[in-house]
Amino acid sequence: MMHRTYSMRSTRIPTASQAENPAPPPSTTKTNRWLGKGSIDNQAHTFRKNATVFGPDLSRKLSQLVKMEKNVMRSMELVAKERMEVAQQLSIWGENCDDDVSDVTDKLGVLIYEIGELEDLYVDRYDQYRVTIKSIRNIEASVQPSRERKQKITDEIAKLKYKDPSSPRIVVLEQELVRAEAESLVAEAQLSNITREKLKSAFEYQFNALREHSEKVAIIASYGKHLLDLIDGSPVTPGETRQAYDGYEASKAIIQDCEEALTNWVSAKASVKPSLSTRSRTLSQRHRENLAKHRGEGIDLSSQDQPMRGDRDSWVPADQHPGYQDGSIEDGSIDGEPSRGREEERVEESVEERTVSTTA
């Protein structure tokens, strides 16, 4: 049957959406797959899901998410492959049926095979999301050592004050603590900024890919329903002969129309347009205005992020701090006022020490 030689993707030309948003490289799950397939791959899937996540405490939760997302991609990759095999089997089954059923099942196989290829491409775009989330995990892992160093110094100071309150090492450790807290402030600010930037980028990748995939699958489904109209669904009595099928050109034209629709699709032509309610728009606008207002009233701390010199001369001993000699700093109170908490004191000391360093 010559009509079976037609394929939607006989010539692979870049689509409009690929010109607008170039296809990403193959996902990391498709490369270096030494585990093979079948039961071994399923065992690896289960192992990743149940494996204990090692590494810094700060990044463990996100590490688990990254591992779970890899399992999701493996599953989608398997679905894409099996859907293409199903499409081929559908065409094989319909080959010996009546002419109309044979032609339509063959063309339906073409459409379903295209869905499988779209799913395979969606895996690649989904990996962009996963890799971007993974970069947040790496930043979290890099911040953990500064937290641990600060906590270690704090614990050591507390032990010395308990065992040997007059130890000269306490002053040295306090200087180290100020340095560690200053470094930690910078690291934490970077983590906060990068987390927001990467989180937004990651889900932009995912939602854009999901939108394109869903729209194109909807296009294929609509043309698939047009193909079904070519099948004569009227019942016949025993011995009655159906009218000869003459829909070969029509089925081919439907496939060509579907291919053209997929090729020309761009995000601007998406059928589904998000529409917020009046309440949602009002609340979102209020939130943006509040952010802009607080951003304008904020304190510029950029001048504090000066490179720190490695020499100890840039740090002032604890006994030279203002108020140390006259006893105004004592027992956790300042000028008779209760302490506002160790963290706030450390931040102020860090700013004060940097000021002294830059003016020295």
Side-chain angles (χ1 to χ4, degrees), residues 328-346 348-349:
S328 60
I329 302 178
E330 185 179 4
D331 297 331
S333 62
I334 302 177
D335 295 334
E337 295 183 4
S339 171
R340 292 167 293 166
R342 184 169 181 81
E343 288 299 326
E344 291 184 48
E345 293 174 3
R346 290 174 182 168
E348 292 178 1
E349 288 175 6

Side-chain angles (χ1 to χ4, degrees), residues 1-8 87-110 248 251:
M1 288 184 163
M2 293 302 295
H3 65 278
R4 287 190 173 276
T5 63
Y6 182 79
S7 172
M8 175 182 287
Q88 293 173 335
Q89 189 62 31
L90 174 63
S91 181
I92 292 172
W93 165 76
E95 190 170 4
N96 295 324
C97 296
D98 294 338
D99 288 347
D100 56 347
V101 174
S102 177
D103 181 47
V104 170
T105 54
D106 181 56
K107 297 304 188 293
L108 289 176
V110 172
Y248 293 115
S251 65

Side-chain angles (χ1 to χ4, degrees), residues 233-248:
S234 59
V236 295
T237 59
E240 183 181 356
T241 303
R242 290 187 182 274
Q243 183 177 350
Y245 178 66
D246 61 354
Y248 293 115

Side-chain angles (χ1 to χ4, degrees), residues 116-338:
E117 292 198 329
L118 287 175
E119 289 172 333
D120 191 64
L121 177 60
Y122 177 61
V123 172
D124 296 337
R125 296 198 182 279
Y126 196 90
D127 195 42
Q128 291 182 292
Y129 147 77
R130 192 187 71 88
V131 170
T132 307
I133 287 291
K134 190 175 179 180
S135 67
I136 302 177
R137 182 206 65 180
N138 296 339
I139 296 296
E140 287 184 342
S142 69
V143 170
Q144 183 70 26
S146 66
R147 288 187 178 185
E148 293 176 348
R149 178 169 176 262
K150 184 176 69 172
Q151 186 60 47
K152 181 179 179 181
I153 297 174
T154 301
D155 294 343
E156 194 171 350
I157 290 175
K159 289 180 182 178
L160 279 176
K161 286 185 175 180
Y162 177 75
K163 293 182 178 179
D164 187 8
S166 60
S167 172
R169 179 162 170 74
I170 293 178
V171 175
V172 176
L173 288 174
E174 287 178 342
Q175 295 173 358
E176 291 294 328
L177 182 59
V178 171
R179 184 196 300 270
E181 288 179 336
E183 293 173 351
S184 180
L185 281 175
V186 174
E188 296 290 349
Q190 290 177 339
L191 174 61
S192 177
N193 294 337
I194 292 176
T195 296
R196 284 162 171 77
E197 175 191 349
K198 296 295 185 181
L199 181 66
K200 295 177 72 172
S201 297
F203 278 94
E204 280 282 340
Y205 283 133
Q206 182 179 150
F207 291 145
N208 287 342
L210 184 60
R211 184 186 191 188
E212 178 177 347
H213 178 72
S214 301
E215 289 266 348
K216 289 185 174 180
V217 170
I219 290 173
I220 293 174
S222 63
Y223 283 99
K225 294 183 70 174
H226 286 301
L227 282 174
L228 295 178
D229 293 336
L230 299 178
I231 296 178
D232 182 8
S234 59
V236 295
T237 59
E240 183 181 356
T241 303
R242 290 187 182 274
Q243 183 177 350
Y245 178 66
D246 61 354
Y248 293 115
E249 290 301 319
S251 65
K252 183 176 179 179
I254 291 173
I255 292 295
Q256 291 172 334
D257 288 346
C258 183
E259 179 180 11
E260 183 178 356
L262 293 174
T263 300
N264 295 328
W265 185 94
V266 290
S267 58
K269 296 181 181 179
S271 299
V272 179
K273 304 291 184 181
S275 178
L276 294 178
S277 65
T278 302
R279 180 173 180 271
S280 296
R281 287 196 301 270
T282 301
L283 293 175
S284 298
Q285 180 64 27
R286 185 184 303 169
H287 173 69
R288 288 192 294 269
E289 290 174 353
N290 287 337
L291 285 179
K293 178 181 178 181
H294 288 294
R295 192 178 296 119
E297 294 177 353
I299 301 175
D300 184 9
L301 300 179
S302 60
S303 60
Q304 296 183 12
D305 295 333
Q306 302 293 335
M308 288 184 251
R309 295 184 296 177
D311 59 307
R312 293 186 176 274
D313 295 337
S314 61
W315 301 100
V316 179
D319 57 0
Q320 294 183 19
H321 289 180
Y324 186 90
Q325 297 293 344
D326 59 12
S328 60
I329 302 178
E330 185 179 4
D331 297 331
S333 62
I334 302 177
D335 295 334
E337 295 183 4

Side-chain angles (χ1 to χ4, degrees), residues 21-75:
N21 184 19
S27 73
T28 54
T29 60
K30 296 179 182 177
T31 56
N32 300 325
R33 294 196 61 179
W34 61 271
L35 288 174
K37 59 182 180 179
S39 60
I40 297 179
D41 201 30
N42 292 335
Q43 291 172 6
H45 185 106
T46 304
F47 175 78
R48 282 193 302 270
K49 181 178 179 180
N50 298 328
T52 302
V53 179
F54 299 99
D57 293 339
L58 181 61
S59 62
R60 285 186 181 178
K61 291 181 179 179
L62 199 52
S63 293
Q64 186 66 34
L65 174 63
V66 170
K67 290 180 181 294
M68 294 171 69
E69 289 289 15
K70 176 166 281 192
N71 285 344
V72 171
M73 290 173 57
R74 294 283 199 207
S75 300

